[in-house]
Amino acid sequence: DAGITQSPRHKVTETGTPVTLRCHQTENHRYMYWYRQDPGHGLRLIHYSYGVKDTDKGEVSDGYSVSRSKTEDFLLTLESATSSQTSVYFCAISEDSNQPQHFGDGTRLSIL
Amino acid sequence: GQNIDQPTEMTATEGAIVQINCTYQTSGFNGLFWYQQHAGEAPTFLSYNVLDGLEEKGRFSSFLSRSKGYSYLLLKELQMKDSASYLCALTGGGNKLTFGTGTQLKVEL
């Protein structure tokens, strides 16, 4: 399995609180991605990174920010969590363009 | 934008062959991926098509026709462990993936 670790694996928090999810990789892959998965919508891209300090928005980026200060870590932050951000969040990595993305085990986030 | 359609659910019998279709409307893409996802787990990579035609990988094969906006995943010699969701995804610039909503396959005895 690709060396991807997501933390925390589960989190319950309240509306309006800040939340940060971490994705850590040991593969030295260039590309890293954050997706959310919701029933009826499938997996949707939030933000992605194509190198250290290089990030771009995905399909559903509103309410989320990301940072990548080193190759191995990609952080996803919800500045002020809302109930609509309750979801399962997956991090993925890929070595290069047109290479398969490999996914972490996911973070189940509940916002009450 | 990209619009991807897959059947929501399918049921098949152990030992049989099943074909899961994926149709799409898009202005352009680099390639098409298929992923498998068991309930409560992460998606895992199955296959990747860039050119038209069939890619075979053991019991799994995937086909792409760009002119018809169509792909399928073929699973042979079905096993109970193949019960899962199968996700079709298109890749564009930056290797960003756009996923379909997935097909839930149930394999029965």
PDB file of all heavy atoms in Angstrom, chain B residues 63-98:
ATOM      1  N   PHE B  63     -12.414  -0.904 -21.162  1.00  0.00           N
ATOM      2  CA  PHE B  63     -12.488  -0.511 -22.561  1.00  0.00           C
ATOM      3  C   PHE B  63     -12.824   0.962 -22.652  1.00  0.00           C
ATOM      4  O   PHE B  63     -13.595   1.491 -21.837  1.00  0.00           O
ATOM      5  CB  PHE B  63     -13.563  -1.331 -23.270  1.00  0.00           C
ATOM      6  CG  PHE B  63     -13.836  -0.898 -24.686  1.00  0.00           C
ATOM      7  CD1 PHE B  63     -13.032  -1.342 -25.722  1.00  0.00           C
ATOM      8  CD2 PHE B  63     -14.889  -0.032 -24.971  1.00  0.00           C
ATOM      9  CE1 PHE B  63     -13.277  -0.939 -27.030  1.00  0.00           C
ATOM     10  CE2 PHE B  63     -15.138   0.380 -26.266  1.00  0.00           C
ATOM     11  CZ  PHE B  63     -14.331  -0.069 -27.296  1.00  0.00           C
ATOM     12  N   LEU B  64     -12.246   1.630 -23.661  1.00  0.00           N
ATOM     13  CA  LEU B  64     -12.534   3.046 -23.886  1.00  0.00           C
ATOM     14  C   LEU B  64     -12.804   3.295 -25.359  1.00  0.00           C
ATOM     15  O   LEU B  64     -12.058   2.802 -26.220  1.00  0.00           O
ATOM     16  CB  LEU B  64     -11.358   3.910 -23.432  1.00  0.00           C
ATOM     17  CG  LEU B  64     -11.456   5.408 -23.711  1.00  0.00           C
ATOM     18  CD1 LEU B  64     -12.613   6.046 -22.949  1.00  0.00           C
ATOM     19  CD2 LEU B  64     -10.138   6.117 -23.400  1.00  0.00           C
ATOM     20  N   SER B  65     -13.849   4.076 -25.650  1.00  0.00           N
ATOM     21  CA  SER B  65     -14.100   4.599 -26.983  1.00  0.00           C
ATOM     22  C   SER B  65     -14.320   6.099 -26.855  1.00  0.00           C
ATOM     23  O   SER B  65     -15.380   6.550 -26.398  1.00  0.00           O
ATOM     24  CB  SER B  65     -15.328   3.950 -27.621  1.00  0.00           C
ATOM     25  OG  SER B  65     -15.688   4.644 -28.811  1.00  0.00           O
ATOM     26  N   ARG B  66     -13.335   6.861 -27.251  1.00  0.00           N
ATOM     27  CA  ARG B  66     -13.446   8.324 -27.142  1.00  0.00           C
ATOM     28  C   ARG B  66     -14.504   8.859 -28.098  1.00  0.00           C
ATOM     29  O   ARG B  66     -15.244   9.784 -27.748  1.00  0.00           O
ATOM     30  CB  ARG B  66     -12.094   8.979 -27.434  1.00  0.00           C
ATOM     31  CG  ARG B  66     -11.082   8.811 -26.305  1.00  0.00           C
ATOM     32  CD  ARG B  66      -9.751   9.447 -26.666  1.00  0.00           C
ATOM     33  NE  ARG B  66      -8.778   9.332 -25.588  1.00  0.00           N
ATOM     34  CZ  ARG B  66      -8.559  10.285 -24.672  1.00  0.00           C
ATOM     35  NH1 ARG B  66      -9.262  11.415 -24.717  1.00  0.00           N
ATOM     36  NH2 ARG B  66      -7.663  10.100 -23.722  1.00  0.00           N
ATOM     37  N   SER B  67     -14.606   8.281 -29.277  1.00  0.00           N
ATOM     38  CA  SER B  67     -15.565   8.790 -30.262  1.00  0.00           C
ATOM     39  C   SER B  67     -17.003   8.588 -29.791  1.00  0.00           C
ATOM     40  O   SER B  67     -17.887   9.381 -30.112  1.00  0.00           O
ATOM     41  CB  SER B  67     -15.352   8.115 -31.614  1.00  0.00           C
ATOM     42  OG  SER B  67     -15.550   6.714 -31.495  1.00  0.00           O
ATOM     43  N   LYS B  68     -17.227   7.551 -28.993  1.00  0.00           N
ATOM     44  CA  LYS B  68     -18.576   7.274 -28.502  1.00  0.00           C
ATOM     45  C   LYS B  68     -18.807   7.793 -27.083  1.00  0.00           C
ATOM     46  O   LYS B  68     -19.922   7.675 -26.563  1.00  0.00           O
ATOM     47  CB  LYS B  68     -18.852   5.767 -28.550  1.00  0.00           C
ATOM     48  CG  LYS B  68     -18.873   5.218 -29.971  1.00  0.00           C
ATOM     49  CD  LYS B  68     -19.200   3.726 -29.991  1.00  0.00           C
ATOM     50  CE  LYS B  68     -19.229   3.212 -31.425  1.00  0.00           C
ATOM     51  NZ  LYS B  68     -19.509   1.752 -31.486  1.00  0.00           N
ATOM     52  N   GLY B  69     -17.801   8.355 -26.440  1.00  0.00           N
ATOM     53  CA  GLY B  69     -17.953   8.861 -25.077  1.00  0.00           C
ATOM     54  C   GLY B  69     -18.345   7.764 -24.114  1.00  0.00           C
ATOM     55  O   GLY B  69     -19.263   7.934 -23.287  1.00  0.00           O
ATOM     56  N   TYR B  70     -17.619   6.653 -24.182  1.00  0.00           N
ATOM     57  CA  TYR B  70     -18.086   5.436 -23.514  1.00  0.00           C
ATOM     58  C   TYR B  70     -16.906   4.613 -23.017  1.00  0.00           C
ATOM     59  O   TYR B  70     -15.891   4.475 -23.708  1.00  0.00           O
ATOM     60  CB  TYR B  70     -18.909   4.663 -24.537  1.00  0.00           C
ATOM     61  CG  TYR B  70     -19.273   3.250 -24.197  1.00  0.00           C
ATOM     62  CD1 TYR B  70     -20.122   2.948 -23.148  1.00  0.00           C
ATOM     63  CD2 TYR B  70     -18.782   2.200 -24.978  1.00  0.00           C
ATOM     64  CE1 TYR B  70     -20.473   1.647 -22.874  1.00  0.00           C
ATOM     65  CE2 TYR B  70     -19.133   0.888 -24.703  1.00  0.00           C
ATOM     66  CZ  TYR B  70     -19.982   0.621 -23.651  1.00  0.00           C
ATOM     67  OH  TYR B  70     -20.337  -0.680 -23.368  1.00  0.00           O
ATOM     68  N   SER B  71     -17.083   4.059 -21.821  1.00  0.00           N
ATOM     69  CA  SER B  71     -16.114   3.121 -21.287  1.00  0.00           C
ATOM     70  C   SER B  71     -16.874   2.019 -20.560  1.00  0.00           C
ATOM     71  O   SER B  71     -18.032   2.206 -20.163  1.00  0.00           O
ATOM     72  CB  SER B  71     -15.177   3.830 -20.301  1.00  0.00           C
ATOM     73  OG  SER B  71     -14.341   2.903 -19.626  1.00  0.00           O
ATOM     74  N   TYR B  72     -16.256   0.882 -20.413  1.00  0.00           N
ATOM     75  CA  TYR B  72     -16.835  -0.144 -19.539  1.00  0.00           C
ATOM     76  C   TYR B  72     -15.738  -0.879 -18.798  1.00  0.00           C
ATOM     77  O   TYR B  72     -14.595  -0.962 -19.254  1.00  0.00           O
ATOM     78  CB  TYR B  72     -17.737  -1.119 -20.294  1.00  0.00           C
ATOM     79  CG  TYR B  72     -17.073  -2.026 -21.313  1.00  0.00           C
ATOM     80  CD1 TYR B  72     -16.281  -3.103 -20.927  1.00  0.00           C
ATOM     81  CD2 TYR B  72     -17.268  -1.818 -22.676  1.00  0.00           C
ATOM     82  CE1 TYR B  72     -15.692  -3.942 -21.863  1.00  0.00           C
ATOM     83  CE2 TYR B  72     -16.686  -2.651 -23.620  1.00  0.00           C
ATOM     84  CZ  TYR B  72     -15.892  -3.700 -23.213  1.00  0.00           C
ATOM     85  OH  TYR B  72     -15.305  -4.534 -24.153  1.00  0.00           O
ATOM     86  N   LEU B  73     -16.124  -1.418 -17.667  1.00  0.00           N
ATOM     87  CA  LEU B  73     -15.279  -2.291 -16.863  1.00  0.00           C
ATOM     88  C   LEU B  73     -15.906  -3.676 -16.905  1.00  0.00           C
ATOM     89  O   LEU B  73     -17.096  -3.836 -16.643  1.00  0.00           O
ATOM     90  CB  LEU B  73     -15.207  -1.788 -15.420  1.00  0.00           C
ATOM     91  CG  LEU B  73     -14.342  -2.598 -14.450  1.00  0.00           C
ATOM     92  CD1 LEU B  73     -12.865  -2.436 -14.795  1.00  0.00           C
ATOM     93  CD2 LEU B  73     -14.601  -2.160 -13.016  1.00  0.00           C
ATOM     94  N   LEU B  74     -15.097  -4.662 -17.266  1.00  0.00           N
ATOM     95  CA  LEU B  74     -15.577  -6.033 -17.381  1.00  0.00           C
ATOM     96  C   LEU B  74     -14.942  -6.859 -16.264  1.00  0.00           C
ATOM     97  O   LEU B  74     -13.716  -6.876 -16.130  1.00  0.00           O
ATOM     98  CB  LEU B  74     -15.196  -6.602 -18.750  1.00  0.00           C
ATOM     99  CG  LEU B  74     -15.894  -7.868 -19.201  1.00  0.00           C
ATOM    100  CD1 LEU B  74     -17.369  -7.582 -19.493  1.00  0.00           C
ATOM    101  CD2 LEU B  74     -15.215  -8.427 -20.460  1.00  0.00           C
ATOM    102  N   LEU B  75     -15.768  -7.505 -15.479  1.00  0.00           N
ATOM    103  CA  LEU B  75     -15.279  -8.362 -14.407  1.00  0.00           C
ATOM    104  C   LEU B  75     -15.662  -9.804 -14.724  1.00  0.00           C
ATOM    105  O   LEU B  75     -16.837 -10.124 -14.894  1.00  0.00           O
ATOM    106  CB  LEU B  75     -15.887  -7.971 -13.058  1.00  0.00           C
ATOM    107  CG  LEU B  75     -15.481  -6.637 -12.435  1.00  0.00           C
ATOM    108  CD1 LEU B  75     -16.159  -5.475 -13.130  1.00  0.00           C
ATOM    109  CD2 LEU B  75     -15.813  -6.633 -10.950  1.00  0.00           C
ATOM    110  N   LYS B  76     -14.663 -10.677 -14.781  1.00  0.00           N
ATOM    111  CA  LYS B  76     -14.904 -12.086 -15.102  1.00  0.00           C
ATOM    112  C   LYS B  76     -14.785 -12.935 -13.844  1.00  0.00           C
ATOM    113  O   LYS B  76     -14.173 -12.533 -12.855  1.00  0.00           O
ATOM    114  CB  LYS B  76     -13.881 -12.563 -16.129  1.00  0.00           C
ATOM    115  CG  LYS B  76     -13.845 -11.757 -17.407  1.00  0.00           C
ATOM    116  CD  LYS B  76     -12.713 -12.232 -18.314  1.00  0.00           C
ATOM    117  CE  LYS B  76     -12.560 -11.337 -19.516  1.00  0.00           C
ATOM    118  NZ  LYS B  76     -11.400 -11.699 -20.351  1.00  0.00           N
ATOM    119  N   GLU B  77     -15.395 -14.124 -13.917  1.00  0.00           N
ATOM    120  CA  GLU B  77     -15.288 -15.096 -12.814  1.00  0.00           C
ATOM    121  C   GLU B  77     -15.561 -14.417 -11.474  1.00  0.00           C
ATOM    122  O   GLU B  77     -14.749 -14.461 -10.554  1.00  0.00           O
ATOM    123  CB  GLU B  77     -13.901 -15.750 -12.812  1.00  0.00           C
ATOM    124  CG  GLU B  77     -13.561 -16.462 -14.105  1.00  0.00           C
ATOM    125  CD  GLU B  77     -12.097 -16.864 -14.176  1.00  0.00           C
ATOM    126  OE1 GLU B  77     -11.403 -16.813 -13.144  1.00  0.00           O
ATOM    127  OE2 GLU B  77     -11.638 -17.209 -15.275  1.00  0.00           O
ATOM    128  N   LEU B  78     -16.722 -13.797 -11.406  1.00  0.00           N
ATOM    129  CA  LEU B  78     -17.060 -12.993 -10.243  1.00  0.00           C
ATOM    130  C   LEU B  78     -16.919 -13.776  -8.939  1.00  0.00           C
ATOM    131  O   LEU B  78     -17.288 -14.948  -8.840  1.00  0.00           O
ATOM    132  CB  LEU B  78     -18.488 -12.466 -10.351  1.00  0.00           C
ATOM    133  CG  LEU B  78     -18.691 -11.222 -11.208  1.00  0.00           C
ATOM    134  CD1 LEU B  78     -20.163 -10.922 -11.351  1.00  0.00           C
ATOM    135  CD2 LEU B  78     -17.944 -10.034 -10.635  1.00  0.00           C
ATOM    136  N   GLN B  79     -16.405 -13.059  -7.926  1.00  0.00           N
ATOM    137  CA  GLN B  79     -16.274 -13.625  -6.597  1.00  0.00           C
ATOM    138  C   GLN B  79     -17.051 -12.745  -5.620  1.00  0.00           C
ATOM    139  O   GLN B  79     -17.306 -11.570  -5.891  1.00  0.00           O
ATOM    140  CB  GLN B  79     -14.796 -13.682  -6.198  1.00  0.00           C
ATOM    141  CG  GLN B  79     -13.936 -14.485  -7.162  1.00  0.00           C
ATOM    142  CD  GLN B  79     -12.456 -14.427  -6.842  1.00  0.00           C
ATOM    143  OE1 GLN B  79     -12.043 -13.945  -5.789  1.00  0.00           O
ATOM    144  NE2 GLN B  79     -11.634 -14.941  -7.757  1.00  0.00           N
ATOM    145  N   MET B  80     -17.379 -13.309  -4.484  1.00  0.00           N
ATOM    146  CA  MET B  80     -18.164 -12.552  -3.500  1.00  0.00           C
ATOM    147  C   MET B  80     -17.418 -11.279  -3.096  1.00  0.00           C
ATOM    148  O   MET B  80     -18.042 -10.231  -2.865  1.00  0.00           O
ATOM    149  CB  MET B  80     -18.464 -13.407  -2.269  1.00  0.00           C
ATOM    150  CG  MET B  80     -19.319 -14.640  -2.561  1.00  0.00           C
ATOM    151  SD  MET B  80     -20.939 -14.220  -3.202  1.00  0.00           S
ATOM    152  CE  MET B  80     -21.692 -13.500  -1.751  1.00  0.00           C
ATOM    153  N   LYS B  81     -16.101 -11.357  -3.041  1.00  0.00           N
ATOM    154  CA  LYS B  81     -15.316 -10.195  -2.618  1.00  0.00           C
ATOM    155  C   LYS B  81     -15.344  -9.054  -3.633  1.00  0.00           C
ATOM    156  O   LYS B  81     -14.878  -7.951  -3.339  1.00  0.00           O
ATOM    157  CB  LYS B  81     -13.865 -10.602  -2.370  1.00  0.00           C
ATOM    158  CG  LYS B  81     -13.110 -11.005  -3.625  1.00  0.00           C
ATOM    159  CD  LYS B  81     -11.665 -11.350  -3.319  1.00  0.00           C
ATOM    160  CE  LYS B  81     -10.896 -11.719  -4.581  1.00  0.00           C
ATOM    161  NZ  LYS B  81      -9.472 -12.042  -4.304  1.00  0.00           N
ATOM    162  N   ASP B  82     -15.895  -9.308  -4.828  1.00  0.00           N
ATOM    163  CA  ASP B  82     -16.021  -8.251  -5.835  1.00  0.00           C
ATOM    164  C   ASP B  82     -17.216  -7.347  -5.544  1.00  0.00           C
ATOM    165  O   ASP B  82     -17.401  -6.326  -6.231  1.00  0.00           O
ATOM    166  CB  ASP B  82     -16.177  -8.856  -7.232  1.00  0.00           C
ATOM    167  CG  ASP B  82     -14.950  -9.641  -7.664  1.00  0.00           C
ATOM    168  OD1 ASP B  82     -13.830  -9.296  -7.230  1.00  0.00           O
ATOM    169  OD2 ASP B  82     -15.112 -10.623  -8.431  1.00  0.00           O
ATOM    170  N   SER B  83     -18.033  -7.694  -4.568  1.00  0.00           N
ATOM    171  CA  SER B  83     -19.126  -6.808  -4.160  1.00  0.00           C
ATOM    172  C   SER B  83     -18.521  -5.523  -3.615  1.00  0.00           C
ATOM    173  O   SER B  83     -17.815  -5.522  -2.603  1.00  0.00           O
ATOM    174  CB  SER B  83     -19.983  -7.473  -3.073  1.00  0.00           C
ATOM    175  OG  SER B  83     -20.685  -8.581  -3.585  1.00  0.00           O
ATOM    176  N   ALA B  84     -18.789  -4.423  -4.324  1.00  0.00           N
ATOM    177  CA  ALA B  84     -18.156  -3.142  -4.002  1.00  0.00           C
ATOM    178  C   ALA B  84     -18.768  -2.077  -4.900  1.00  0.00           C
ATOM    179  O   ALA B  84     -19.582  -2.382  -5.776  1.00  0.00           O
ATOM    180  CB  ALA B  84     -16.651  -3.206  -4.229  1.00  0.00           C
ATOM    181  N   SER B  85     -18.328  -0.840  -4.698  1.00  0.00           N
ATOM    182  CA  SER B  85     -18.702   0.229  -5.596  1.00  0.00           C
ATOM    183  C   SER B  85     -17.576   0.420  -6.605  1.00  0.00           C
ATOM    184  O   SER B  85     -16.386   0.363  -6.249  1.00  0.00           O
ATOM    185  CB  SER B  85     -18.930   1.523  -4.807  1.00  0.00           C
ATOM    186  OG  SER B  85     -19.369   2.556  -5.661  1.00  0.00           O
ATOM    187  N   TYR B  86     -17.943   0.631  -7.880  1.00  0.00           N
ATOM    188  CA  TYR B  86     -16.951   0.812  -8.942  1.00  0.00           C
ATOM    189  C   TYR B  86     -17.101   2.225  -9.495  1.00  0.00           C
ATOM    190  O   TYR B  86     -18.183   2.625  -9.932  1.00  0.00           O
ATOM    191  CB  TYR B  86     -17.123  -0.252 -10.015  1.00  0.00           C
ATOM    192  CG  TYR B  86     -16.729  -1.613  -9.473  1.00  0.00           C
ATOM    193  CD1 TYR B  86     -17.648  -2.397  -8.780  1.00  0.00           C
ATOM    194  CD2 TYR B  86     -15.418  -2.071  -9.588  1.00  0.00           C
ATOM    195  CE1 TYR B  86     -17.269  -3.610  -8.226  1.00  0.00           C
ATOM    196  CE2 TYR B  86     -15.038  -3.281  -9.040  1.00  0.00           C
ATOM    197  CZ  TYR B  86     -15.966  -4.042  -8.357  1.00  0.00           C
ATOM    198  OH  TYR B  86     -15.588  -5.240  -7.798  1.00  0.00           O
ATOM    199  N   LEU B  87     -15.999   2.951  -9.457  1.00  0.00           N
ATOM    200  CA  LEU B  87     -15.994   4.370  -9.776  1.00  0.00           C
ATOM    201  C   LEU B  87     -15.260   4.621 -11.082  1.00  0.00           C
ATOM    202  O   LEU B  87     -14.119   4.179 -11.251  1.00  0.00           O
ATOM    203  CB  LEU B  87     -15.302   5.162  -8.660  1.00  0.00           C
ATOM    204  CG  LEU B  87     -15.692   4.837  -7.221  1.00  0.00           C
ATOM    205  CD1 LEU B  87     -14.840   5.642  -6.249  1.00  0.00           C
ATOM    206  CD2 LEU B  87     -17.159   5.119  -6.994  1.00  0.00           C
ATOM    207  N   CYS B  88     -15.917   5.340 -11.966  1.00  0.00           N
ATOM    208  CA  CYS B  88     -15.323   5.779 -13.216  1.00  0.00           C
ATOM    209  C   CYS B  88     -14.870   7.224 -13.010  1.00  0.00           C
ATOM    210  O   CYS B  88     -15.586   8.017 -12.386  1.00  0.00           O
ATOM    211  CB  CYS B  88     -16.402   5.670 -14.304  1.00  0.00           C
ATOM    212  SG  CYS B  88     -16.051   6.463 -15.870  1.00  0.00           S
ATOM    213  N   ALA B  89     -13.677   7.590 -13.509  1.00  0.00           N
ATOM    214  CA  ALA B  89     -13.179   8.949 -13.314  1.00  0.00           C
ATOM    215  C   ALA B  89     -12.392   9.405 -14.524  1.00  0.00           C
ATOM    216  O   ALA B  89     -11.592   8.648 -15.082  1.00  0.00           O
ATOM    217  CB  ALA B  89     -12.305   9.025 -12.067  1.00  0.00           C
ATOM    218  N   LEU B  90     -12.597  10.658 -14.918  1.00  0.00           N
ATOM    219  CA  LEU B  90     -11.837  11.265 -16.005  1.00  0.00           C
ATOM    220  C   LEU B  90     -10.729  12.128 -15.424  1.00  0.00           C
ATOM    221  O   LEU B  90     -10.920  12.791 -14.396  1.00  0.00           O
ATOM    222  CB  LEU B  90     -12.747  12.137 -16.868  1.00  0.00           C
ATOM    223  CG  LEU B  90     -13.912  11.450 -17.563  1.00  0.00           C
ATOM    224  CD1 LEU B  90     -14.753  12.475 -18.325  1.00  0.00           C
ATOM    225  CD2 LEU B  90     -13.397  10.386 -18.526  1.00  0.00           C
ATOM    226  N   THR B  91      -9.581  12.144 -16.085  1.00  0.00           N
ATOM    227  CA  THR B  91      -8.474  12.959 -15.612  1.00  0.00           C
ATOM    228  C   THR B  91      -8.187  14.081 -16.591  1.00  0.00           C
ATOM    229  O   THR B  91      -8.120  13.864 -17.802  1.00  0.00           O
ATOM    230  CB  THR B  91      -7.229  12.104 -15.355  1.00  0.00           C
ATOM    231  OG1 THR B  91      -6.179  12.958 -14.893  1.00  0.00           O
ATOM    232  CG2 THR B  91      -6.757  11.388 -16.592  1.00  0.00           C
ATOM    233  N   GLY B  92      -8.034  15.295 -16.027  1.00  0.00           N
ATOM    234  CA  GLY B  92      -7.750  16.452 -16.849  1.00  0.00           C
ATOM    235  C   GLY B  92      -6.415  17.059 -16.454  1.00  0.00           C
ATOM    236  O   GLY B  92      -5.544  16.387 -15.919  1.00  0.00           O
ATOM    237  N   GLY B  93      -6.272  18.357 -16.683  1.00  0.00           N
ATOM    238  CA  GLY B  93      -5.028  19.038 -16.353  1.00  0.00           C
ATOM    239  C   GLY B  93      -4.698  18.938 -14.873  1.00  0.00           C
ATOM    240  O   GLY B  93      -5.591  18.977 -14.037  1.00  0.00           O
ATOM    241  N   GLY B  94      -3.396  18.800 -14.554  1.00  0.00           N
ATOM    242  CA  GLY B  94      -2.993  18.677 -13.158  1.00  0.00           C
ATOM    243  C   GLY B  94      -3.349  17.339 -12.560  1.00  0.00           C
ATOM    244  O   GLY B  94      -3.297  17.162 -11.341  1.00  0.00           O
ATOM    245  N   ASN B  95      -3.709  16.391 -13.420  1.00  0.00           N
ATOM    246  CA  ASN B  95      -4.113  15.072 -12.963  1.00  0.00           C
ATOM    247  C   ASN B  95      -5.312  15.130 -12.035  1.00  0.00           C
ATOM    248  O   ASN B  95      -5.519  14.252 -11.198  1.00  0.00           O
ATOM    249  CB  ASN B  95      -2.948  14.339 -12.275  1.00  0.00           C
ATOM    250  CG  ASN B  95      -3.079  12.832 -12.361  1.00  0.00           C
ATOM    251  OD1 ASN B  95      -3.783  12.314 -13.224  1.00  0.00           O
ATOM    252  ND2 ASN B  95      -2.446  12.122 -11.456  1.00  0.00           N
ATOM    253  N   LYS B  96      -6.133  16.178 -12.172  1.00  0.00           N
ATOM    254  CA  LYS B  96      -7.347  16.259 -11.367  1.00  0.00           C
ATOM    255  C   LYS B  96      -8.353  15.237 -11.869  1.00  0.00           C
ATOM    256  O   LYS B  96      -8.558  15.096 -13.071  1.00  0.00           O
ATOM    257  CB  LYS B  96      -7.953  17.664 -11.476  1.00  0.00           C
ATOM    258  CG  LYS B  96      -7.091  18.746 -10.858  1.00  0.00           C
ATOM    259  CD  LYS B  96      -7.785  20.092 -10.901  1.00  0.00           C
ATOM    260  CE  LYS B  96      -7.845  20.635 -12.312  1.00  0.00           C
ATOM    261  NZ  LYS B  96      -8.442  21.992 -12.341  1.00  0.00           N
ATOM    262  N   LEU B  97      -8.970  14.539 -10.936  1.00  0.00           N
ATOM    263  CA  LEU B  97      -9.957  13.531 -11.298  1.00  0.00           C
ATOM    264  C   LEU B  97     -11.371  14.046 -11.081  1.00  0.00           C
ATOM    265  O   LEU B  97     -11.660  14.680 -10.059  1.00  0.00           O
ATOM    266  CB  LEU B  97      -9.773  12.271 -10.453  1.00  0.00           C
ATOM    267  CG  LEU B  97      -8.548  11.402 -10.746  1.00  0.00           C
ATOM    268  CD1 LEU B  97      -8.503  10.225  -9.791  1.00  0.00           C
ATOM    269  CD2 LEU B  97      -8.567  10.916 -12.177  1.00  0.00           C
ATOM    270  N   THR B  98     -12.239  13.770 -12.056  1.00  0.00           N
ATOM    271  CA  THR B  98     -13.669  13.997 -11.900  1.00  0.00           C
ATOM    272  C   THR B  98     -14.331  12.637 -11.892  1.00  0.00           C
ATOM    273  O   THR B  98     -14.223  11.885 -12.865  1.00  0.00           O
ATOM    274  CB  THR B  98     -14.224  14.851 -13.046  1.00  0.00           C
ATOM    275  OG1 THR B  98     -13.557  16.106 -13.070  1.00  0.00           O
ATOM    276  CG2 THR B  98     -15.717  15.077 -12.853  1.00  0.00           C
TER     277      THR B  98
END
